[in-house]
Amino acid sequence: MYVTVIEALELSEGLAFLNIGSGSGYLSCLIATLLGQSGVSHGIDINSSVIDHSRDCCDRWFKSFEGTINEGMVCKEGVQIVHGNCFDIDISSSVNRCLYDRIYIGAGCPAKHIPFFYQLLSENGIIVVPIDDSNELVKIRRVCGQVYTSTHITQVHFAPLVNIANLVVNDSITT
């Protein structure tokens, strides 16, 4: 599935990426490699027990580049994974600091919640998201302002996106 997602995201160097439901951090690291030194790869996961594990996985990923021809290919500081509820992201602060060129939502998202993520998306940005209501993976592109296009990628079934009200966020993404 990650190959399908990476292809749909149309990644290139220097983009800003947000991985919602980042889990082990594997996809965040893969994409950081494709975004290069000037790219940013942020992840957020609601499951606090996976955050330390994902940070350890990311550290091992970057250490695997040490002393190789690929050392310096990615910037460790460009990858951040935090604990929190994606619906608790402070939109006004995020919009003033960092809009994302690419967003991946790694859990089934009800169609009614997708407009929340539009607020985090830059012009010509892309969201790849499994729509819980229709069990399909879609690619949504922000064309201009509030104009979006949607393309069906494939049929899928993901665990649902968790929306826990009043979750205490322990970390924050810095830009």
Side-chain angles (χ1 to χ4, degrees):
M1 183 56 59
Y2 281 164
V3 171
T4 300
V5 168
I6 289 171
E7 183 178 65
L9 286 169
E10 299 178 24
L11 299 166
S12 61
E13 272 195 51
L15 295 179
F17 169 69
L18 176 61
N19 185 3
I20 296 172
S22 55
S24 70
Y26 181 68
L27 181 64
S28 295
C29 288
L30 283 177
I31 288 180
T33 304
L34 297 170
L35 300 180
Q37 283 282 350
S38 60
V40 171
S41 180
H42 291 164
I44 185 168
D45 202 292
I46 199 164
N47 186 345
S48 61
S49 65
V50 303
I51 297 302
D52 287 337
H53 173 71
S54 64
R55 289 176 179 159
D56 289 343
C57 288
C58 288
D59 285 343
R60 284 195 307 274
W61 174 269
F62 288 106
K63 285 181 182 166
S64 72
F65 286 104
E66 290 176 3
T68 71
I69 193 168
N70 297 320
E71 186 173 16
M73 197 166 86
V74 293
C75 177
K76 182 177 179 179
E77 292 73 30
V79 178
Q80 294 182 40
I81 299 186
V82 299
H83 171 241
N85 184 331
C86 62
F87 295 108
D88 288 337
I89 294 173
D90 181 355
I91 298 296
S92 61
S93 174
S94 294
V95 168
N96 290 331
R97 296 168 79 191
C98 176
L99 288 177
Y100 293 96
D101 303 301
R102 304 294 185 263
I103 299 173
Y104 172 65
I105 302 172
C109 184
K112 69 181 181 181
H113 290 308
I114 293 176
F116 173 82
F117 300 105
Y118 291 169
Q119 302 170 80
L120 297 169
L121 194 61
S122 66
E123 292 288 324
N124 204 35
I126 294 172
I127 299 174
V128 174
V129 55
I131 308 290
D132 209 24
D133 314 58
S134 57
N135 290 330
E136 67 177 321
L137 188 66
V138 298
K139 173 180 173 177
I140 301 168
R141 182 185 301 272
R142 183 176 193 174
V143 179
C144 180
Q146 297 304 309
V147 177
Y148 299 87
T149 61
S150 179
T151 306
H152 170 86
I153 298 172
T154 190
Q155 290 300 123
V156 294
H157 184 76
F158 279 65
L161 188 63
V162 177
N163 182 7
I164 299 175
N166 301 320
L167 177 74
V168 175
V169 178
N170 297 324
D171 297 328
S172 63
I173 292 174
T174 57
T175 56

Coordinates of all heavy atoms in Angstrom, one line a residue, residues 96-140:
N96 N -0.3 29.9 10.0 CA 0.7 31.0 10.1 C 2.1 30.5 10.0 O 3.0 31.2 9.6 CB 0.5 31.8 11.4 CG -0.8 32.6 11.4 OD1 -1.3 33.0 10.3 ND2 -1.3 32.8 12.5
R97 N 2.3 29.2 10.3 CA 3.7 28.7 10.4 C 4.0 27.7 9.3 O 5.1 27.8 8.7 CB 3.9 28.0 11.7 CG 3.8 29.0 12.9 CD 3.8 28.3 14.2 NE 5.1 27.8 14.6 CZ 5.3 27.0 15.6 NH1 4.4 26.5 16.3 NH2 6.6 26.7 15.9
C98 N 3.1 26.8 8.9 CA 3.5 25.8 8.0 C 2.2 25.1 7.4 O 1.5 24.5 8.1 CB 4.3 24.7 8.7 SG 4.7 23.3 7.6
L99 N 2.0 25.3 6.1 CA 1.0 24.5 5.4 C 1.7 23.4 4.8 O 2.9 23.5 4.4 CB 0.3 25.4 4.3 CG -0.7 26.5 4.8 CD1 -1.2 27.3 3.7 CD2 -1.8 25.8 5.6
Y100 N 1.0 22.3 4.6 CA 1.7 21.1 4.1 C 1.3 20.9 2.6 O 0.2 21.1 2.2 CB 1.2 19.8 4.9 CG 1.7 19.9 6.3 CD1 0.9 20.4 7.3 CD2 3.0 19.4 6.6 CE1 1.4 20.4 8.6 CE2 3.5 19.5 7.9 CZ 2.7 20.0 8.9 OH 3.2 20.0 10.2
D101 N 2.4 20.5 1.9 CA 2.2 20.2 0.5 C 1.6 18.9 0.2 O 0.9 18.7 -0.8 CB 3.6 20.3 -0.2 CG 4.3 21.6 0.0 OD1 3.7 22.6 -0.4 OD2 5.4 21.6 0.6
R102 N 1.8 18.0 1.1 CA 1.3 16.6 1.0 C 0.9 16.1 2.4 O 1.6 16.3 3.4 CB 2.4 15.6 0.5 CG 3.0 16.1 -0.9 CD 1.9 16.0 -2.0 NE 2.5 16.3 -3.3 CZ 2.5 17.4 -3.9 NH1 1.9 18.5 -3.3 NH2 3.0 17.6 -5.1
I103 N -0.3 15.5 2.4 CA -0.8 14.9 3.7 C -1.3 13.5 3.4 O -2.0 13.3 2.4 CB -2.0 15.7 4.2 CG1 -1.6 17.2 4.6 CG2 -2.6 15.1 5.5 CD1 -2.7 18.1 5.0
Y104 N -0.9 12.6 4.3 CA -1.4 11.2 4.2 C -2.1 10.9 5.5 O -1.6 11.2 6.6 CB -0.3 10.2 4.0 CG -0.7 8.8 4.1 CD1 -1.7 8.2 3.2 CD2 -0.3 8.0 5.1 CE1 -2.1 6.9 3.3 CE2 -0.7 6.6 5.3 CZ -1.6 6.1 4.4 OH -2.1 4.8 4.5
I105 N -3.3 10.4 5.4 CA -4.1 10.0 6.6 C -4.1 8.5 6.6 O -4.7 7.9 5.6 CB -5.5 10.6 6.5 CG1 -5.4 12.1 6.5 CG2 -6.3 10.1 7.8 CD1 -6.7 12.9 6.3
G106 N -3.5 7.9 7.6 CA -3.4 6.4 7.6 C -4.4 5.7 8.3 O -4.2 4.6 8.9
A107 N -5.7 6.2 8.3 CA -6.8 5.5 8.9 C -8.1 6.0 8.2 O -8.1 7.1 7.6 CB -6.9 5.9 10.4
G108 N -9.1 5.1 8.2 CA -10.3 5.5 7.6 C -11.0 6.7 8.1 O -11.3 6.8 9.3
C109 N -11.1 7.7 7.3 CA -11.6 9.0 7.7 C -13.0 9.2 7.2 O -13.3 9.1 6.0 CB -10.7 10.1 7.1 SG -11.2 11.8 7.7
P110 N -14.0 9.5 8.0 CA -15.3 9.8 7.5 C -15.3 11.0 6.6 O -14.6 12.0 6.9 CB -16.1 10.1 8.8 CG -15.4 9.5 9.9 CD -13.9 9.6 9.5
A111 N -16.0 11.0 5.5 CA -16.0 12.1 4.6 C -16.3 13.4 5.2 O -15.7 14.5 4.8 CB -17.0 11.8 3.5
K112 N -17.1 13.5 6.2 CA -17.5 14.7 6.9 C -16.3 15.4 7.6 O -16.4 16.6 7.8 CB -18.7 14.6 7.8 CG -18.3 13.8 9.1 CD -19.5 13.6 10.0 CE -19.1 12.8 11.2 NZ -20.2 12.6 12.1
H113 N -15.3 14.7 7.9 CA -14.1 15.2 8.6 C -13.0 15.7 7.6 O -12.1 16.4 8.0 CB -13.5 14.2 9.6 CG -14.4 14.0 10.7 ND1 -14.9 15.0 11.5 CD2 -14.8 12.8 11.3 CE1 -15.6 14.5 12.5 NE2 -15.6 13.1 12.4
I114 N -13.1 15.4 6.4 CA -12.0 15.7 5.4 C -11.8 17.2 5.3 O -10.7 17.7 5.2 CB -12.2 15.0 4.1 CG1 -12.0 13.5 4.3 CG2 -11.2 15.6 3.0 CD1 -12.3 12.7 3.1
P115 N -12.9 18.1 5.3 CA -12.6 19.5 5.2 C -11.7 20.1 6.3 O -11.0 21.1 6.1 CB -14.0 20.1 5.2 CG -14.9 19.0 4.6 CD -14.3 17.7 5.1
F116 N -11.7 19.4 7.4 CA -10.8 19.9 8.5 C -9.3 19.9 8.0 O -8.6 20.8 8.3 CB -10.9 18.9 9.7 CG -9.9 19.2 10.8 CD1 -10.1 20.3 11.7 CD2 -8.7 18.5 10.9 CE1 -9.1 20.6 12.7 CE2 -7.7 18.8 11.8 CZ -8.0 19.8 12.7
F117 N -8.9 18.9 7.2 CA -7.6 18.8 6.8 C -7.3 19.7 5.6 O -6.1 20.0 5.4 CB -7.3 17.3 6.4 CG -7.4 16.4 7.5 CD1 -8.5 15.5 7.6 CD2 -6.5 16.4 8.6 CE1 -8.7 14.7 8.7 CE2 -6.7 15.5 9.7 CZ -7.8 14.7 9.7
Y118 N -8.3 20.2 4.9 CA -8.1 21.2 3.8 C -7.4 22.4 4.4 O -6.6 23.1 3.7 CB -9.4 21.6 3.2 CG -10.1 20.6 2.4 CD1 -11.4 20.8 2.0 CD2 -9.6 19.4 2.0 CE1 -12.1 19.9 1.2 CE2 -10.2 18.5 1.2 CZ -11.5 18.7 0.8 OH -12.2 17.8 0.1
Q119 N -7.7 22.8 5.6 CA -7.1 24.0 6.3 C -5.6 23.9 6.4 O -4.9 24.9 6.6 CB -7.7 24.2 7.6 CG -9.2 24.3 7.6 CD -9.8 24.3 9.0 OE1 -9.8 25.3 9.7 NE2 -10.3 23.2 9.4
L120 N -5.1 22.6 6.4 CA -3.6 22.4 6.6 C -2.9 22.3 5.2 O -1.7 22.1 5.2 CB -3.4 21.1 7.4 CG -3.9 21.2 8.8 CD1 -3.9 19.8 9.4 CD2 -3.1 22.1 9.7
L121 N -3.6 22.3 4.1 CA -3.1 22.0 2.8 C -2.7 23.2 2.0 O -3.5 24.2 1.9 CB -4.1 21.2 2.0 CG -3.6 20.4 0.8 CD1 -2.6 19.4 1.1 CD2 -4.8 19.8 0.1
S122 N -1.5 23.3 1.5 CA -1.1 24.4 0.6 C -1.8 24.3 -0.7 O -2.3 23.3 -1.1 CB 0.4 24.4 0.5 OG 0.8 23.2 -0.2
E123 N -1.6 25.5 -1.5 CA -2.1 25.5 -2.9 C -1.4 24.4 -3.6 O -0.2 24.1 -3.5 CB -1.8 26.8 -3.5 CG -2.6 28.0 -3.0 CD -4.1 28.0 -3.3 OE1 -4.4 27.6 -4.5 OE2 -4.9 28.4 -2.5
N124 N -2.1 23.7 -4.5 CA -1.7 22.6 -5.3 C -1.2 21.4 -4.4 O -0.5 20.5 -4.9 CB -0.5 23.0 -6.3 CG -0.4 22.0 -7.4 OD1 -1.5 21.5 -7.9 ND2 0.8 21.8 -7.9
G125 N -1.6 21.4 -3.1 CA -1.3 20.3 -2.2 C -2.2 19.1 -2.5 O -3.2 19.2 -3.1
I126 N -1.7 18.0 -2.0 CA -2.4 16.7 -2.2 C -2.6 16.0 -0.8 O -1.7 15.9 0.0 CB -1.6 15.8 -3.1 CG1 -1.5 16.3 -4.5 CG2 -2.2 14.4 -3.1 CD1 -0.5 15.6 -5.4
I127 N -3.8 15.5 -0.7 CA -4.1 14.6 0.5 C -4.5 13.2 -0.1 O -5.2 13.1 -1.1 CB -5.4 15.1 1.2 CG1 -5.2 16.5 1.8 CG2 -5.8 14.1 2.4 CD1 -6.4 17.1 2.5
V128 N -3.9 12.2 0.5 CA -4.2 10.8 0.2 C -4.9 10.3 1.4 O -4.3 10.3 2.5 CB -3.0 10.0 -0.3 CG1 -3.4 8.5 -0.5 CG2 -2.5 10.6 -1.6
V129 N -6.1 9.8 1.3 CA -6.9 9.4 2.4 C -7.9 8.3 2.1 O -8.5 8.3 1.1 CB -7.7 10.7 3.0 CG1 -8.6 11.3 1.9 CG2 -8.6 10.3 4.2
P130 N -8.0 7.3 3.0 CA -9.0 6.3 2.9 C -10.3 6.9 3.4 O -10.4 7.3 4.6 CB -8.5 5.1 3.7 CG -7.5 5.7 4.7 CD -7.0 7.0 4.1
I131 N -11.3 6.9 2.6 CA -12.6 7.4 3.0 C -13.4 6.2 3.7 O -13.7 5.2 3.0 CB -13.5 7.9 1.8 CG1 -12.6 9.0 1.0 CG2 -14.8 8.5 2.3 CD1 -12.4 10.3 1.7
D132 N -13.7 6.4 4.9 CA -14.3 5.3 5.7 C -15.7 5.0 5.2 O -16.1 3.8 5.1 CB -14.4 5.7 7.2 CG -14.4 4.6 8.1 OD1 -13.8 3.5 7.8 OD2 -14.9 4.7 9.2
D133 N -16.5 6.0 4.8 CA -17.9 5.8 4.3 C -18.0 4.9 3.1 O -18.9 4.1 2.9 CB -18.5 7.1 4.0 CG -18.3 8.2 5.1 OD1 -17.1 8.5 5.3 OD2 -19.3 8.7 5.6
S134 N -17.0 5.0 2.2 CA -17.0 4.3 0.9 C -16.0 3.3 0.7 O -15.9 2.6 -0.4 CB -17.0 5.3 -0.3 OG -15.8 6.1 -0.2
N135 N -15.1 3.1 1.7 CA -14.0 2.1 1.6 C -13.1 2.3 0.4 O -12.8 1.4 -0.3 CB -14.5 0.7 1.7 CG -15.0 0.3 3.0 OD1 -14.5 0.9 4.0 ND2 -16.0 -0.5 3.1
E136 N -12.8 3.6 0.1 CA -12.0 3.9 -1.1 C -10.8 4.8 -0.7 O -11.0 5.6 0.2 CB -12.8 4.5 -2.2 CG -13.3 5.8 -2.0 CD -14.0 6.4 -3.2 OE1 -13.6 6.2 -4.3 OE2 -15.0 7.1 -3.0
L137 N -9.7 4.6 -1.3 CA -8.5 5.4 -1.2 C -8.6 6.5 -2.2 O -8.8 6.2 -3.4 CB -7.2 4.7 -1.3 CG -5.9 5.4 -1.0 CD1 -5.9 5.7 0.5 CD2 -4.7 4.6 -1.4
V138 N -8.6 7.8 -1.8 CA -8.7 8.9 -2.8 C -7.6 9.8 -2.7 O -6.9 9.9 -1.6 CB -10.1 9.6 -2.6 CG1 -11.3 8.8 -2.9 CG2 -10.2 10.3 -1.3
K139 N -7.3 10.5 -3.8 CA -6.3 11.6 -3.9 C -7.1 12.9 -4.1 O -7.9 13.0 -5.0 CB -5.4 11.3 -5.1 CG -4.4 12.4 -5.4 CD -3.6 11.9 -6.6 CE -2.7 12.9 -7.1 NZ -1.9 12.3 -8.2
I140 N -6.9 13.8 -3.2 CA -7.6 15.1 -3.2 C -6.5 16.1 -3.5 O -5.5 16.2 -2.7 CB -8.4 15.4 -1.9 CG1 -9.4 14.3 -1.7 CG2 -9.0 16.8 -2.0 CD1 -10.0 14.3 -0.3

